Amino acid sequence: MDNSIIKLQAREILDSRGNPTVEVECTLACGVKARASVPSGASTGVHEAVELRDGDPKRFGGKGVKKAVAHVNETIAPQLIGQDARAQAGIDGMMIALDGTPNKAKLGANAILGVSLTVARAAATAADLPLYHYLGGPNAVRLPVPNMNILNGGVHARWQGADFQEFMVAPYGASSFREALEWGSEIYHALRTVLMDKGHRVGVGDEGGFAPEVSSNEEPLELIVQAIEKTGLKPGADVGIAMDPASSAFFEDGNYHLRTEKRTVSAGEMVDYYEKLIKTYPVVLLEDGLAEDDWEGWKILNARLGGIIELVGDDLFVTNVERINRGIREDVANAALIKLNQIGTLTETVAAVRMCKKAGWGAFVSHRSGETVDSFIADMTVALDTGHLKSGAPARGERVEKYNQLMRIEEELGDAACYAGKEAYVRAVRF
Ligand SMILES: C=C(OP(=O)(O)O)C(=O)O
Ligand SMILES: [Mg+2]
């Protein structure tokens, strides 16, 4: 088998929000072809690697990615032709050097990531291995808990409802991934009924969860508990709740502006609020409870709640080992969100997960609010054995494709498969 890359071809495709994104195809000398595409966030952290957009207002309001596509076809491809696709770290390193900036501003993290992922998939195909097995070896047998975002707010719901962006159900009490997904789907449908019974609208947000006009950030928790109970499952024992307020989006001038609740509060008061919610509802994970540069606030948050629940930094850490390292040193959280396109290569993403594990932290793999049907993160979650992921509601093609891929992996692993359950969370022991 000749694993050398003979062709890399990028193109502009559309993501789930109808915005352009990058897709890259890789051809190897042995004839293998693979394809990968790049997701895109809406509540992006300011410290993320640069997603290169054309800025031409006449096309997609400036959101075209023709420049990123050209960088793959004209700058990256000529350098990588002839490289062995199995040399992932070397290839990623070459692209980082070719870009030469600290945040991939020159070529674009969207260009670089498209190549990084398609090369990995081509090498796996050439080795005749499923992607999770190629990336993770014989250790890749644990299926993650799916954290399903069934109620959307914040920027993903155009600020129509809750300030908090994501309310997810985590069916950690199931005995398999398939059962967990089934529970999540039943809760999702039950929530629709609960909402309709209360006169709420049941339109959905960017990640497929319902986006009702609630009057507080607590109300969604109450509605979700009712939906869980409606299915006959036990909130806390069978199913926990994960929340991503994505608070950088409502942080301004040193305070948190809760528009839904018509009040402005300090970091300390936000922590008080979270403590109250956590005591009342079965919340096991809180992501971006405070803003991306509020390091002092995060210290308070972790000191108060880090012993009870998993505290995940998304905008705070942006899958970047330098920021995660600072977080470990300063003891501000106990987990990092893992998003490939925040950092821009597979190799750097693996390094971020490794750093979390070494510190005893959680690594919570995530999709983006703008997605494609590429299910790379499903395989990667199993390969890196991170135990939990979030991929939106158990509805909408681009979200369920990740969950469906995980069901396929579970089936393929057969008796070797195990389900992460509660142990996936750094602190879910209170239930
Ligand atoms: C998935 C998220 O949203 P986005 O992709 O818009 O950043 C998130 O904030 O965790
Ligand atoms: Mg987030």
Side-chain angles (χ1 to χ4, degrees):
M1 272 282 189
D2 187 344
N3 283 275
S4 5
I5 298 168
I6 58 166
K7 191 175 175 195
L8 282 166
Q9 166 93 49
R11 65 178 64 89
E12 200 178 59
I13 61 166
L14 291 183
D15 72 12
S16 56
R17 269 192 286 257
N19 292 324
T21 191
V22 178
E23 173 177 274
V24 188
E25 249 165 40
C26 175
T27 311
L28 304 184
C30 57
V32 158
K33 265 190 176 203
R35 180 190 289 161
S37 51
V38 178
S40 173
S43 64
T44 44
V46 296
H47 303 288
E48 294 193 21
V50 172
E51 179 184 73
L52 196 65
R53 296 280 177 187
D54 297 341
D56 171 5
K58 290 199 276 310
R59 289 193 72 246
F60 297 105
K63 289 188 176 150
V65 291
K66 285 200 165 164
K67 282 184 194 158
V69 165
H71 286 157
V72 174
N73 295 338
E74 292 160 25
T75 309
I76 298 174
Q79 295 295 318
L80 296 189
I81 300 302
Q83 294 296 316
D84 189 317
R86 293 168 298 187
Q88 186 74 42
I91 287 171
D92 288 345
M94 282 175 76
M95 289 193 284
I96 292 166
L98 201 57
D99 175 82
T101 70
N103 57 356
K104 303 187 177 67
K106 187 170 157 208
L107 298 175
N110 42 354
I112 292 171
L113 183 65
V115 175
S116 185
L117 301 186
T118 189
V119 163
R121 189 172 272 137
T125 310
D128 202 19
L129 289 173
L131 185 57
Y132 69 91
H133 192 32
Y134 170 75
L135 296 174
N139 228 2
V141 293
R142 198 166 68 131
L143 275 298
V145 178
N147 288 248
M148 292 168 265
N149 182 6
I150 59 173
L151 200 147
N152 295 188
V155 68
H156 293 170
R158 313 286 168 303
W159 299 106
Q160 286 182 131
D163 302 297
F164 292 5
Q165 182 179 281
E166 302 172 22
F167 294 85
M168 299 165 265
V169 282
Y172 44 56
S175 54
S176 65
F177 180 84
R178 175 175 287 274
E179 187 177 45
L181 194 58
E182 202 170 310
W183 286 8
S185 167
E186 277 164 12
I187 296 165
Y188 179 73
H189 294 299
L191 180 61
R192 182 190 287 113
T193 308
V194 169
L195 289 168
M196 285 169 69
D197 286 351
K198 292 187 181 336
H200 281 299
R201 280 196 286 261
V202 287
V204 298
D206 287 355
E207 297 187 352
F210 303 111
E213 281 181 44
V214 289
S215 56
S216 75
N217 294 291
E218 180 169 352
E219 195 182 336
L221 294 169
E222 185 57 47
L223 294 164
I224 288 173
V225 164
Q226 284 177 29
I228 296 170
E229 281 168 346
K230 210 172 168 61
T231 66
L233 292 162
K234 288 192 185 58
D238 297 324
V239 185
I241 297 178
M243 274 199 302
D244 178 9
S247 65
S248 305
F250 53 84
F251 180 73
E252 222 185 295
D253 306 327
N255 282 306
Y256 294 85
H257 301 267
L258 298 173
R259 185 198 42 84
T260 310
E261 300 174 15
K262 298 183 181 59
R263 61 193 181 107
T264 293
V265 299
S266 67
E269 287 164 334
M270 278 302 283
V271 176
D272 292 341
Y273 188 33
Y274 290 135
E275 189 168 36
K276 179 190 151 212
L277 296 180
I278 286 158
K279 280 192 177 146
T280 318
Y281 302 94
V283 175
V284 291
L285 181 151
L286 175 66
E287 176 188 328
D288 278 0
L290 295 175
E292 58 204 339
D293 286 309
D294 190 0
W295 292 89
E296 291 309 310
W298 274 90
K299 274 184 204 162
I300 302 168
L301 179 67
N302 195 40
R304 290 263 297 277
L305 304 178
I308 320 172
I309 58 165
E310 181 163 329
L311 292 176
V312 185
D314 171 12
D315 293 352
L316 178 71
F317 297 135
V318 292
T319 319
N320 180 318
V321 287
E322 281 172 29
R323 291 183 70 88
I324 296 172
N325 197 25
R326 178 174 171 192
I328 293 166
R329 273 197 330 266
E330 297 186 15
D331 198 20
V332 300
N334 57 33
L337 202 73
I338 301 295
K339 287 169 167 167
L340 282 155
N341 79 325
Q342 280 184 327
I343 192 67
T345 64
L346 177 57
T347 303
E348 290 163 291
T349 305
V350 171
V353 171
R354 195 183 317 116
M355 181 174 276
C356 289
K357 289 191 175 188
K358 201 170 155 211
W361 277 29
F364 186 35
V365 174
S366 171
H367 67 153
R368 297 308 304 246
S369 52
E371 266 294 336
T372 73
V373 291
D374 194 324
S375 57
F376 196 99
I377 59 163
D379 286 73
M380 188 184 82
T381 303
V382 177
L384 301 182
D385 194 30
T386 59
H388 50 350
L389 94 166
K390 63 171 188 174
S391 179
R396 285 179 63 137
E398 76 281 3
R399 312 292 149 188
V400 295
E401 186 50 24
K402 280 72 161 171
Y403 298 138
N404 288 341
Q405 174 67 0
L406 285 160
M407 285 201 289
R408 293 180 201 112
I409 293 172
E410 184 170 62
E411 185 182 299
E412 188 170 279
L413 284 167
D415 289 345
C418 61
Y419 179 59
K422 275 184 201 172
E423 72 182 34
Y425 296 82
V426 178
R427 315 249 185 272
V429 283
R430 68 196 179 112
F431 294 110

